[in-house]
Amino acid sequence: LSKLGEAPVSLHPQCLDFKPPFKPQEDLQFCAMYRNFGCCDSAKDQELMAKFYKIMDNFDNYGHANCAGYVQDLLCQECSPYAAHLFDAEDPSTPIRTLPGLCPDYCSQFWLKCRSTITLLSDDLQLAQAEPDQVHFCQHLELEDPDYCYPHLLSNEQLTQNLGHVLADPEGCLQLCLEEVANGLRNPLAMVHANDGTHRFFIAEQVGLVWTYLPDRSKLEKPFLNITKAVLTSPWEGDERGFLGLTFHPNYKYNGKLYVYYSVEIGFDERIRVSEFRVSSGDMNEVDHASERIILEVDEPASNHNGGMVMFADDGYLYIFTGDGGMAGDPFGKYGNAQNKSALLGKVLRINVDDNDRGPLYRIPSDNPFVHERGARPEVYAYGVRNMWRCSVDRGDPLTKEGKGRIFCGDVGQNKFEEIDIIEKGRNYGWRAKEGFSCYDKKLCANSSLDDVLPIYAYPHKMGKSVTGGYVYRGCEYPNLNGMYIFGDFMSGRMMNLQENKNTGQWNYHEICMGIGLTCAFPGLINNYYQYIISFAEDEAGELYFMSTGVPSATSPTGVVYKLVDPSRRAPPRQCHYDPLPVRVKSKLIKFRPKERAAVVTTTLPQTTTKPPRHTRRKNRRKKGKHRSESGLAPAAAPQSGAVRLAGDEQGRDDRGRVEIFVNGEWGTVCDDLWNTKNAAVVCRQLGFRFALKASKHSEFGEGKSLRILLDDVQCEGTEESLLDCQHTDIGIHNCAHYEDAGVICGNSDYVDA
């Protein structure tokens, strides 16, 4: 791939339907040069071949010998993986060329030998008028970007190397794109389907509401489930209590049962509760709220580490993932809850909820590993977990079914490491003896009877401080992603993936970035997202989504659901087609309206530059200014030490941007270590705003590379006059880089304007 500023800016294969190319399911007979990768299936190939014969019927043997090759070449460029470029069709609002863009030397040869085919190939009146004049004709077929002209693009290594593979930047970061699916949600933390053929999806908010969405992404006005009065949560940012999990019974289509996991307060005690509900007999889009049966309750000694995942695995049993009880270091009892098999906290539980209409609400599977161990709870399937946040079952390779049934989980760490585990029956996942691959409790860690299983991957807190487990991609639409375990980090906003090396059994790590340049220049795609990655999801067809928010509060409507898209390759047309079963709708429908826009790579304030941030939602800039006063008056006096300004908003808005501070005669940036809303409040108040709506991280508003980093480890109470009055390291002393430049979004109302 070329660097920014060079040509071509980026690899951007695109078809005339404004979608990525694909590998045809059947061999192409006519445009065989694109049989491995391109924009035509066999039906289109046959259509082009019929057009070819219709044109060539107008020529004798001499004309056929001279022109057949040219006519075939020109017709078959509709099958080129760069068809949209060749036909100048990247912008769907402009007319498409009727002939592909030709390189001048090739165009001259074509005109000299076969100009008589022009009116047969095209009905473009302008081309017909230009046809008598070679220079005029070939100028008409030139492209603005000469790198994409035919046939030279075929020999351009920058355009042909790795074609059809997931793009990576020079640092190896895989470039994907996004499609906005839902918005205006309050901490959306679960999106599930009912596996009933309707292809509806259900999105749960932390406050205790679950919404129904139809396949066209319209939302039902009436919630599917509303237990807000029972759910224990608060508006505090980072509150881990609330509605935490939702899953449908494998036979939901026939028994109408679903299961939820949420926090409750009973007297002065906080508990986690797993309940069973049934769908209403009169409305398939509403739960019968009177049908709730409490399956399980567990006392929570603290307000954090509540776990929250509930799901069915391939064996048909219900899996419940509990946290270790909270506080720090699992301080409960001699060895902590997680290592204590007589406690339900810090565990993976497995129960049988089938045929429970009479008798016990659940039974213990006979092959649960500790059924016969004295003192152990029979529900325990695995133990030694800290606070598993989001788990998933691998659907298996679409063809071989390899990997099917594996359970992947992200386990949130304590002080140093986050980890990804594959859950196996009876295994000990190490906490609190270990955190990631390292010892946490050295005494427990040295115990020879620990017999713990190590994570498949762990990463340090320099990369992120709260893992959000994801899914192994097994969908149909993006074949290149098959087998990738895609997950993220709630705090850093980092998106990541692991791929198993089949020979070594090791898992290889790659970061995922949002595509830059033209990579995501497809209709409906964006390349940015809100930082706080709450959860991942699969739809009924196996496509992959994630949910994130700009303000991690249960009452902030800044949550968005995104679909992951590979811009380098899609499945062949019609391969992934399905017909959803009809849905009887009794509620008013709210049509989906996307709000997010693609970020643009641009420059920012004078003397500063921006780099497109990898993870988060905003990739903005401020409008260019002048170095000197245009009025001719004397320049303004230098600002006082501690003064701040905002840079990097692409729309020039003055309420958001990268924080730049003036200290000892120079402007510099602030590192985002420990950056929070209290720090942001100090900045926003300095600038005359009432509220700090967001403390942004990871150079959300670009990198101020031409400036020094002046402040690090800033800790404010929120009442200080400037950041210099807060705790911080010495001026200019830091252990970070510009990709961690801090920013803010300010406002005079308590809502973020997207």
Side-chain angles (χ1 to χ4, degrees):
L1 294 178
S2 58
K3 297 178 181 177
L4 284 174
E6 298 176 359
V9 172
S10 63
L11 201 66
H12 186 234
Q14 187 179 23
C15 300
L16 292 177
D17 61 359
F18 311 111
K19 295 179 180 179
F22 53 89
K23 179 178 174 57
Q25 285 181 283
E26 301 174 23
D27 274 348
L28 306 186
Q29 297 177 1
F30 180 62
C31 299
M33 66 284 277
Y34 298 119
R35 65 180 178 274
N36 292 321
F37 190 65
C39 293
C40 290
D41 58 9
S42 58
K44 183 65 178 178
D45 183 58
Q46 293 295 312
E47 178 189 321
L48 292 172
M49 183 161 62
K51 187 174 182 179
F52 168 81
Y53 285 122
K54 186 176 180 180
I55 292 171
M56 297 315 299
D57 281 346
N58 294 282
F59 295 90
D60 57 17
N61 289 340
Y62 177 80
H64 200 284
N66 275 328
C67 297
Y70 283 108
V71 173
Q72 183 176 16
D73 285 347
L74 295 181
L75 289 173
C76 285
Q77 295 323 300
E78 289 190 39
C79 301
S80 166
Y82 290 107
H85 295 274
L86 285 164
F87 288 87
D88 203 17
E90 297 97 325
D91 184 351
S93 64
T94 60
I96 296 175
R97 290 170 178 253
T98 54
L99 288 182
L102 302 181
C103 302
D105 52 350
Y106 180 91
C107 182
S108 297
Q109 293 173 16
F110 166 64
W111 186 89
L112 287 170
K113 292 183 178 181
C114 299
R115 57 182 282 198
S116 57
T117 65
I118 293 170
T119 54
L120 298 170
L121 283 162
S122 169
D123 56 4
D124 186 338
L125 291 177
Q126 288 184 321
L127 268 183
Q129 291 168 1
E131 180 259 323
D133 185 305
Q134 177 189 333
V135 174
H136 188 196
F137 174 77
C138 288
Q139 283 178 344
H140 194 81
L141 288 183
E142 278 188 27
L143 292 173
E144 274 190 37
D145 188 344
D147 287 290
Y148 287 101
C149 71
Y150 180 82
H152 292 179
L153 87 165
L154 299 176
S155 57
N156 187 331
E157 287 190 6
Q158 287 183 314
L159 295 177
T160 56
Q161 191 175 19
N162 295 321
L163 189 61
H165 297 276
V166 179
L167 298 179
D169 68 12
E171 298 174 7
C173 196
L174 303 181
Q175 295 192 42
L176 298 182
C177 305
L178 304 174
E179 193 177 338
E180 185 183 355
V181 172
N183 52 41
L185 293 156
R186 294 172 292 182
N187 268 15
L189 44 69
M191 170 180 159
V192 298
H193 63 85
N195 198 34
D196 61 355
T198 64
H199 289 263
R200 291 173 294 172
F201 52 96
F202 302 85
I203 299 177
E205 295 179 317
Q206 189 175 349
V207 291
L209 286 166
V210 179
W211 302 99
T212 305
Y213 289 78
L214 301 183
D216 67 359
R217 298 177 184 172
S218 57
K219 171 186 172 182
L220 271 63
E221 186 178 53
K222 191 173 184 180
F224 179 69
L225 176 66
N226 182 354
I227 54 171
T228 52
K229 291 182 179 179
V231 169
L232 173 64
T233 189
S234 78
W236 307 333
E237 288 191 19
D239 192 341
E240 298 178 23
R241 302 166 303 173
F243 188 103
L244 302 177
L246 165 69
T247 190
F248 288 82
H249 193 282
N251 292 320
Y252 172 79
K253 187 175 180 179
Y254 306 103
N255 64 24
K257 292 183 178 181
L258 58 142
Y259 298 83
V260 300
Y261 185 129
Y262 62 100
S263 305
V264 294
E265 190 170 37
I266 308 295
F268 295 104
D269 296 328
E270 292 185 10
R271 298 178 185 173
I272 53 172
R273 174 183 290 173
V274 177
S275 284
E276 176 188 274
F277 285 90
R278 285 181 185 266
V279 72
S280 166
S281 59
D283 189 346
M284 66 185 297
N285 295 305
E286 186 179 3
V287 164
D288 177 358
H289 291 75
S291 68
E292 181 176 12
R293 298 197 300 168
I294 298 170
I295 300 293
L296 186 69
E297 280 189 348
V298 184
D299 283 332
E300 278 282 354
S303 295
N304 58 339
H305 301 186
N306 299 302
M309 191 70 199
V310 57
M311 68 181 192
F312 286 90
D314 282 4
D315 55 16
Y317 295 132
L318 183 65
Y319 287 70
I320 302 164
F321 299 79
T322 63
D324 66 6
M327 291 200 256
D330 194 5
F332 308 102
K334 188 175 181 180
Y335 305 113
N337 280 325
Q339 291 296 320
N340 177 6
K341 284 179 276 189
S342 66
L344 292 180
L345 294 172
K347 305 295 188 299
V348 180
L349 311 177
R350 183 174 75 153
I351 59 176
N352 183 353
V353 291
D354 284 347
D355 304 318
N356 65 350
D357 294 334
R358 296 181 180 178
L361 292 174
Y362 71 87
R363 296 187 298 278
I364 305 299
S366 59
D367 63 339
N368 266 15
F370 306 111
V371 169
H372 303 296
E373 183 172 318
R374 187 175 180 182
R377 288 292 297 256
E379 296 93 341
V380 175
Y381 182 78
Y383 64 106
V385 306
R386 183 176 178 274
N387 190 33
M388 287 188 162
W389 183 248
R390 295 319 182 222
C391 303
S392 62
V393 179
D394 185 357
R395 294 186 179 208
D397 183 275
L399 296 177
T400 67
K401 297 304 176 185
E402 185 177 1
K404 182 173 169 54
R406 294 181 298 182
I407 298 174
F408 289 78
C409 288
D411 199 6
V412 179
Q414 181 69 49
N415 299 322
K416 293 182 177 179
F417 297 99
E418 306 296 304
E419 67 181 67
I420 300 294
D421 297 301
I422 295 180
I423 303 302
E424 297 173 347
K425 183 168 70 174
R427 300 306 302 269
N428 178 4
Y429 287 84
W431 175 251
R432 76 184 187 203
K434 288 184 179 178
E435 179 186 10
F437 294 104
S438 70
C439 289
Y440 178 82
D441 182 323
K442 293 183 179 178
K443 186 176 179 181
L444 276 178
C445 192
N447 191 326
S448 59
S449 65
L450 187 64
D451 190 28
D452 63 314
V453 58
L454 294 175
I456 62 169
Y457 181 72
Y459 62 91
H461 278 190
K462 182 178 180 181
M463 293 171 58
K465 298 180 180 178
S466 183
V467 67
T468 299
Y471 284 78
V472 178
Y473 180 84
R474 300 297 190 186
C476 171
E477 294 180 15
Y478 305 108
N480 283 339
L481 303 186
N482 182 40
M484 287 188 185
Y485 177 72
I486 296 177
F487 64 106
D489 188 276
F490 174 79
M491 291 301 294
S492 69
R494 193 181 296 267
M495 191 87 68
M496 301 167 270
N497 92 83
L498 301 173
Q499 270 193 294
E500 186 177 17
N501 182 317
K502 302 294 172 52
N503 296 322
T504 65
Q506 299 296 308
W507 291 81
N508 299 322
Y509 169 86
H510 284 95
E511 190 167 347
I512 292 175
C513 303
M514 295 296 98
I516 59 174
L518 291 173
T519 306
C520 297
F522 295 92
L525 297 193
I526 56 176
N527 60 349
N528 47 99
Y529 57 89
Y530 281 116
Q531 172 180 332
Y532 299 100
I533 301 173
I534 305 175
S535 192
F536 285 79
E538 266 184 337
D539 65 15
E540 195 165 345
E543 300 306 321
L544 191 55
Y545 303 75
F546 72 94
M547 289 141 274
S548 69
T549 186
V551 181
S553 161
T555 57
S556 174
T558 55
V560 180
V561 180
Y562 305 93
K563 181 180 180 181
L564 283 158
V565 173
D566 174 17
S568 63
R569 179 187 170 193
R570 59 168 158 152
R574 294 176 292 279
Q575 180 177 313
C576 305
H577 176 77
Y578 56 83
D579 293 310
L581 293 176
V583 177
R584 296 185 303 277
V585 175
K586 296 186 176 182
S587 170
K588 181 181 176 182
L589 286 177
I590 302 171
K591 187 177 179 181
F592 170 62
R593 288 183 173 83
K595 295 181 179 179
E596 306 305 312
R597 292 187 296 272
V600 182
V601 181
T602 55
T603 55
T604 181
L605 280 171
Q607 301 180 327
T608 65
T609 58
T610 64
K611 176 183 177 182
R614 285 192 171 175
H615 315 292
T616 52
R617 175 178 182 268
R618 298 297 181 198
K619 300 180 176 74
N620 297 334
R621 69 176 179 94
R622 186 183 291 271
K623 294 177 181 177
K624 291 184 179 179
K626 301 283 186 182
H627 285 291
R628 56 189 176 88
S629 169
E630 294 183 354
S631 67
L633 299 174
Q640 293 183 340
S641 254
V644 290
R645 68 184 183 187
L646 302 182
D649 180 51
E650 70 173 9
Q651 297 177 38
R653 292 171 291 190
D654 61 3
D655 64 351
R656 63 195 70 196
R658 180 178 61 253
V659 174
E660 296 181 355
I661 186 166
F662 191 80
V663 185
N664 299 334
E666 68 171 318
W667 287 100
T669 63
V670 180
C671 187
D672 67 13
D673 290 342
L674 306 181
W675 191 249
N676 59 30
T677 51
K678 289 183 178 179
N679 301 346
V682 173
V683 173
C684 291
R685 194 170 56 255
Q686 265 187 280
L687 295 170
F689 294 97
R690 293 175 59 201
F691 297 105
L693 302 179
K694 181 180 179 184
S696 70
K697 299 184 179 184
H698 279 272
S699 61
E700 179 174 342
F701 296 99
E703 299 183 16
K705 278 191 167 181
S706 67
L707 305 177
R708 286 204 304 145
I709 298 172
L710 296 182
L711 290 184
D712 191 10
D713 292 338
V714 179
Q715 297 182 70
C716 303
E717 293 298 321
T719 57
E720 294 86 348
E721 290 187 5
S722 85
L723 295 180
L724 295 182
D725 299 325
C726 306
Q727 293 183 43
H728 55 78
T729 56
D730 291 339
I731 303 299
I733 304 300
H734 62 86
N735 63 350
C736 56
H738 278 295
Y739 67 80
E740 297 171 280
D741 281 346
V744 295
I745 299 179
C746 307
N748 289 316
S749 65
D750 56 358
Y751 181 73
V752 178
D753 178 17

